[in-house]
Amino acid sequence: MQLFVNDLTVIDFSYCCTERGIVGESWIVDVLLDGSLNEMSMVLDFAVVKKQIKAIIDDAVDHKLLLPMLDNAITVSDSTYREGHEFVDFKSMQGSYNLQSPRCAFAKISSDKIDIASVTSYLTEIILEQLPKNVQGLTLNLRAENIDGAFYHYTHGLKLHDGNCQRIAHGHRSKIHIYQNGQRSADLEAAWSLRWKDIYLASEADRIALADIELSANATENLSADQQLFSYFAPQGRFDIAVPSNILDVVDCDSTVELLADFILRQLKQQSPDNEFKVVAFEGVAKGAIANG
């Protein structure tokens, strides 16, 4: 007997990619269970699927930075500054990224790259360990949202958030709709999608001096002039990151989707003050914020 739940959840995360750098992503998760019927004549109660399996997936990868541990470009070590924190040093074709975060902010995947296959295998093993014995099989379908139009991948962190959004390197794959004087503008949407292609979005308020950054000894010794430094404290711990300037946009606000929608609107109004705009900014799949002006 098989039991399925489509659109069980959406995982929002970032991952290390040798070619693209640190990339924000959003995948929809469908679940198919194979098993015998239990004493309630069910493979598994839908309530358990929706609550327990979703919770397992969220805890494993959601709002984390996924690390391909078989990639020689990745080095992970215990922080020498803070208990329960780790350093991550990553060299990509876009430049070097260096981080310190609480251990819970990273997911270590035994693969040389992060893709749907490697994440599916990682999650399947974790989930099956926690399901009842009458469930003999699990098929996960991870998929990106089908977007007809412009979108971008961004990575960020929200220091004021008391949940997992506080993690300094999690991200989203997000579409954007921009209206100019009541008409949707494909040109403006394409321009912002190009500007924020595989971007890291940092807040100017989180910029930190070189003398105050907490990174691995190797990272500190090899920081380049092309990297910019950011850090903050949040409920889960201290977060530090050094980001290559070429994939960075520093905004004058926090990077909540509400403030990002307003940021885009303000840039548009500055360029064309006599026009009216509506910005519909998405944060991953099926959620976002609207700014008008």
Side-chain angles (χ1 to χ4, degrees):
M1 183 66 68
Q2 293 182 312
L3 181 76
F4 69 90
V5 177
N6 293 332
D7 302 316
L8 173 67
T9 189
V10 175
I11 51 175
D12 294 300
F13 62 96
S14 290
Y15 66 96
C16 293
C17 174
T18 304
E19 292 79 23
R20 297 168 61 187
I22 289 181
V23 182
E25 188 57 273
S26 300
W27 288 339
I28 302 163
V29 182
D30 306 320
V31 175
L32 177 68
L33 299 173
D34 286 274
S36 57
L37 300 182
N38 61 19
E39 65 278 3
M40 296 183 291
S41 299
M42 299 176 177
V43 175
L44 195 63
D45 191 329
F46 278 120
V48 174
V49 177
K50 292 179 180 179
K51 184 176 181 180
Q52 181 183 3
I53 295 182
K54 180 183 183 305
I56 296 169
I57 293 171
D58 289 348
D59 184 64
V61 296
D62 193 49
H63 286 77
K64 294 192 177 192
L65 177 61
L66 276 54
L67 308 175
M69 298 301 291
L70 301 184
D71 185 346
N72 292 331
I74 295 271
T75 302
V76 181
S77 57
D78 289 336
S79 171
T80 54
Y81 293 96
R82 298 177 187 277
E83 185 177 354
H85 289 54
E86 290 181 320
F87 296 132
V88 170
D89 299 320
F90 170 54
K91 294 181 180 179
S92 76
M93 293 174 62
Q94 304 304 319
S96 294
Y97 298 78
N98 308 102
L99 301 95
Q100 175 187 246
S101 290
R103 189 172 287 112
C104 62
F106 304 122
K108 303 179 181 72
I109 297 182
S110 183
S111 175
D112 60 358
K113 65 179 179 180
I114 300 298
D115 56 14
I116 284 178
S118 62
V119 177
T120 298
S121 177
Y122 176 76
L123 287 175
T124 299
E125 182 177 352
I126 291 173
I127 295 169
L128 280 175
E129 290 177 349
Q130 301 184 53
L131 294 183
K133 293 181 179 179
N134 70 297
V135 178
Q136 287 95 39
L138 168 68
T139 302
L140 297 177
N141 178 36
L142 307 184
R143 54 188 171 89
E145 178 186 19
N146 185 18
I147 298 176
D148 182 15
F151 63 90
Y152 45 77
H153 300 254
Y154 73 96
T155 298
H156 69 146
L158 301 175
K159 66 182 178 185
L160 300 179
H161 199 275
D162 58 4
N164 293 335
C165 291
Q166 67 188 264
R167 295 168 179 170
I168 204 167
H170 78 276
H172 314 272
R173 175 181 181 264
S174 301
K175 58 188 177 183
I176 183 169
H177 297 166
I178 299 177
Y179 297 82
Q180 183 174 3
N181 299 321
Q183 298 295 316
R184 189 168 166 189
S185 173
D187 289 343
L188 289 175
E189 293 172 8
W192 276 92
S193 292
L194 181 61
R195 174 171 172 172
W196 282 358
K197 179 182 178 182
D198 296 346
I199 201 73
Y200 186 87
L201 295 178
S203 298
E204 182 60 44
D206 298 330
R207 191 183 294 278
I208 193 170
L210 175 60
D212 298 321
I213 196 76
E214 294 186 3
L215 299 172
S216 71
N218 183 65
T220 303
E221 291 171 4
N222 292 284
L223 286 174
S224 73
D226 291 332
Q227 291 176 281
Q228 298 186 42
L229 311 177
F230 303 90
S231 179
Y232 54 75
F233 285 93
Q236 291 180 358
R238 172 164 170 151
F239 296 85
D240 296 81
I241 191 167
V243 187
S245 296
N246 58 301
I247 53 78
L248 173 69
D249 202 350
V250 183
V251 297
D252 61 357
C253 55
D254 205 357
S255 56
T256 64
V257 69
E258 295 91 340
L259 292 181
L260 291 178
D262 179 71
F263 176 81
I264 295 171
L265 176 67
R266 288 188 284 116
Q267 307 305 303
L268 295 171
K269 290 293 289 184
Q270 187 176 41
Q271 296 164 5
S272 302
D274 295 330
N275 291 307
E276 292 295 316
F277 296 96
K278 180 171 79 169
V279 177
V280 183
F282 287 77
E283 184 186 74
V285 179
K287 62 185 189 297
I290 301 172
N292 293 277

